[in-house]
Amino acid sequence: MRDVARAAGVSAMSVSRVLREPALVSPELRARVEAAVREVGYVPNRLAGSLSSRRSEVVGLVVPSLENSLFAATVKGISDVLRRAGFQLMIADSGYGPEAEEAAIRAFLEQRVAGLILHDTLHTEGAIQMIRRAGVPVVENGTLTEAPLDMVVSYSNREAARAMTRHLARLGYRRIALVTLPSAANARSRDRQLGFAEALAELSLPLEPRWMLEMPPGLASGAEALVRLMESEPPDAIFFAGDVLAAGAVLECQRRGWAVPGRVAIAAFDNVDLLAHMNPPVTTLHLPRHEIGTRSAQILLDRIGRRQSGPATVDLRFEIIQRAST
C-alpha cells in the first residue's frame, strides 16, 4: 500500500480510503490511486489479519467454461486430491477470455489462495504481474507450453493433432480437413492447427486453406462446418478438433443421408461418451483429463508443502480410439 501511495503521490491513508470506500473520494483521487494500483500490481488482502504472507487452505481454479463437460473429469481429479489433503477448491469461469481470467485471478489472490490452477496458457500481462508479485505456486494444464509461468501438467495438443492426422493418412485418406475453435485467444486451437499442418507436410499431403475452418463451439457449428467443407472439392476426411463439433457433423450427415465414412470420414478430439454411441461411433483421441486433474493437484500440494521447488513439466499420454466413422 505504501508503494501505491508513493506511485500516486498521496498518503497511505488515502490509498486505503480509495480501496475501502471509493464512493467517498473524489474521482480524480480515485483515478490516480487506481492507476497506481495497476502500475504496482498491488492486490489487497481480504483476509482477517494484516500479514501479507497469510495463506488460506483454498486453491483457485480457472477453467474456460463451466458449461463444457470436458472439464468435469479434470475438476473432479483436482477436487478429490485437494480434499484428502485438507484443502478446498474454488472455481471460476473465464468464458474463454483472458480479461475475465485476469479478473478471476485477482479475486482469488485477494482471498490469499494457497495456489492457482489455470487451464489456459495465454494470460494478460496484468495477470502475469499479479501472479509474480503474489508469489503463489501456479499450475497450467490446458496444454504443454515451452514457457510455463511455473509448473505445467498436460498433454501436447500439437502432438495429439499430429498423431490423429497421421492416423487418418494411414487409413488411406489424402484430402484431410481440420475444424477447430477460434484460435485468437486459444492456445490449444493454435497448437492443434500446427500439429495438423506439420503432419500434412511430413506426409507430403496438400494443406488447403479452404479445408481449415475455425468455428464457435456447438453442435450447430459442427453441422455448418461440414456443409461448408462439402460444398465444392470436398475432403475425404474431416478432423474436428472438438468433440461437440464432430457430433454436430455426424448428426448433420444423418439428416442429409450422407454415409460416414462412405462420403466423408469424421474424427474427433475428445473421447466423450456421446461419440461412442453415435451412428456410426466416432474415431477420437482419448485424453487423460482426470489424470491431468490429479497430477495438477499433487504437484501443487508438493510445492505448497515445500516438497518440490523450481519449474516442472508433466507430459501425459493420449491415445487414438479407432471407430467406424473412419
Side-chain angles (χ1 to χ4, degrees):
M1 194 178 292
R2 287 194 297 270
D3 293 339
V4 173
R6 281 194 293 270
V10 299
S11 68
M13 185 174 294
S14 294
V15 173
S16 178
R17 190 177 301 116
V18 168
L19 295 176
R20 293 178 181 276
E21 300 176 300
L24 301 183
V25 302
S26 69
E28 178 186 355
L29 176 60
R30 185 165 65 248
R32 287 171 62 186
V33 171
E34 289 174 348
V37 166
R38 290 192 295 271
E39 176 185 343
V40 172
Y42 173 64
V43 178
N45 186 349
R46 304 301 188 195
L47 291 181
S50 60
L51 294 177
S52 63
S53 62
R54 178 175 294 186
R55 299 289 176 209
S56 66
E57 292 183 340
V58 173
V59 169
L61 167 66
V62 185
V63 295
S65 171
L66 291 175
E67 294 180 332
N68 193 331
S69 62
L70 285 180
F71 305 118
T74 301
V75 172
K76 183 69 164 61
I78 293 170
S79 181
D80 288 348
V81 172
L82 292 180
R83 190 182 304 112
R84 288 195 295 267
F87 284 75
Q88 294 299 320
L89 182 64
M90 292 176 63
I91 307 174
D93 178 337
S94 72
Y96 294 92
E99 290 77 19
E101 184 201 53
E102 178 182 339
I105 290 170
R106 175 177 291 277
F108 283 147
L109 293 179
E110 288 177 352
Q111 299 300 323
R112 288 302 187 264
V113 292
L116 291 169
I117 300 176
L118 309 175
H119 186 77
D120 282 310
T121 54
L122 293 177
H123 317 286
T124 66
E125 188 59 34
I128 294 171
Q129 289 178 0
M130 279 192 293
I131 290 169
R132 300 288 191 214
R133 185 175 180 87
V136 298
V138 180
V139 178
E140 295 164 289
N141 65 14
T143 189
L144 289 185
T145 175
E146 296 178 357
L149 287 174
D150 186 5
M151 300 172 284
V152 59
V153 176
S154 194
Y155 60 93
S156 171
N157 279 272
R158 188 170 178 172
E159 290 302 321
R162 179 187 290 174
M164 178 58 83
T165 307
R166 294 180 67 89
H167 177 71
L168 292 172
R170 281 195 297 270
L171 294 175
Y173 300 105
R174 291 294 177 266
R175 302 189 311 278
I176 306 173
L178 175 72
V179 181
T180 69
L181 296 177
S183 62
N186 191 325
R188 299 175 298 285
S189 290
R190 289 210 290 271
D191 284 349
R192 295 170 191 181
Q193 292 169 356
L194 282 172
F196 173 75
E198 289 169 352
L200 292 183
E202 292 165 5
L203 297 164
S204 299
L205 294 178
L207 176 62
E208 296 287 349
R210 66 180 181 277
W211 289 345
M212 291 185 68
L213 298 182
E214 293 188 0
M215 302 294 293
L219 291 168
S221 292
E224 180 185 344
L226 170 80
V227 173
R228 286 171 56 181
L229 288 168
M230 300 300 288
E231 282 177 345
S232 63
E233 296 186 62
D236 54 15
I238 307 174
F239 176 21
F240 287 88
D243 59 318
V244 177
L245 294 172
V250 172
L251 292 172
E252 183 64 18
C253 284
Q254 291 176 348
R255 191 180 74 83
R256 291 173 176 262
W258 292 353
V260 179
R263 182 158 181 171
V264 63
I266 292 177
F269 200 88
D270 226 304
N271 189 29
V272 295
D273 289 342
L274 173 66
L275 297 179
H277 299 284
M278 301 204 73
N279 184 24
V282 180
T283 293
T284 189
L285 283 154
H286 176 72
L287 306 173
R289 295 202 179 273
H290 186 268
E291 187 180 1
I292 287 173
T294 59
R295 296 292 292 277
S296 295
Q298 288 164 356
I299 198 171
L300 188 71
L301 291 174
D302 285 344
R303 174 66 64 79
I304 293 170
R306 303 184 185 280
R307 296 181 295 274
Q308 190 272 344
S309 62
T313 296
V314 179
D315 187 353
L316 300 177
R317 297 183 64 84
F318 54 83
E319 64 175 316
I320 294 173
I321 308 296
Q322 168 63 30
R323 296 188 180 121
S325 70
T326 58

